[in-house]
Amino acid sequence: MHDPAVRSLLDMFARIAATMEAERDHLSDLDGAIGDADHGMTMALGFRAVVVALGRLDAASAKPADVFRTAAGAFLDAVGASTGPLYANGFLRAAQRLDGCDGLDCASAATLLDAMAAGIAQRGKGSRGEKTMLDVWLPAAEAAQHALADRPDRFWTIVLDAAERGAAATRSMVAVRGRAARVGERSIGHIDPGAVSALMIIRAMAESFKP
Ligand SMILES: [Mg+2]
């Protein structure tokens, strides 16, 4: 029997991959302003590999944790450097959190956002204010916990609002990590491409999870 959580997670990764493909040039242009202009290519490549690997998964017997473990391995294989280990660790953390879970309730969006943010932060040893994807993941995960407690009816509105504000805030930050750190102060005025793709991922999650 198909696990409904597995079905929505497969849908989520398919949406993310389609978005990265559609936004590939846009993301690479953003990266070109402060980096090496490969971010769109990298993300499209990584999520295409994830979808191919998930296509080989036996969806009838797979558990939610299997989806994330498969995604982690495929993303890391396809994207060796920079973003690769970060998202791979986010997916791995999500898989660990979902071990033993086979229902929609345990694979909740708040759990996934929290695991992703924690896994990326741990691998990158990063924090907020450094002009990276964490300026989106961390506030989105935090907003998810608050929304869950106070306004579950407005969950995605609150999460997406936090993610959008986080991405926009990177524009006025100085890059201190990765290749963008080399341009230093000149990175001010440019939005971080990794923050923009993180926002796109969370938007895709919202579309898959919204009732
Ligand atoms: Mg780059």
Side-chain angles (χ1 to χ4, degrees), residues 27-28 31-32 34-40 42 82-83 179-180 193:
L27 289 171
S28 286
D31 193 20
I34 56 172
D36 54 1
D38 68 347
H39 190 62
T42 301
S82 64
T83 319
R179 204 176 280 265

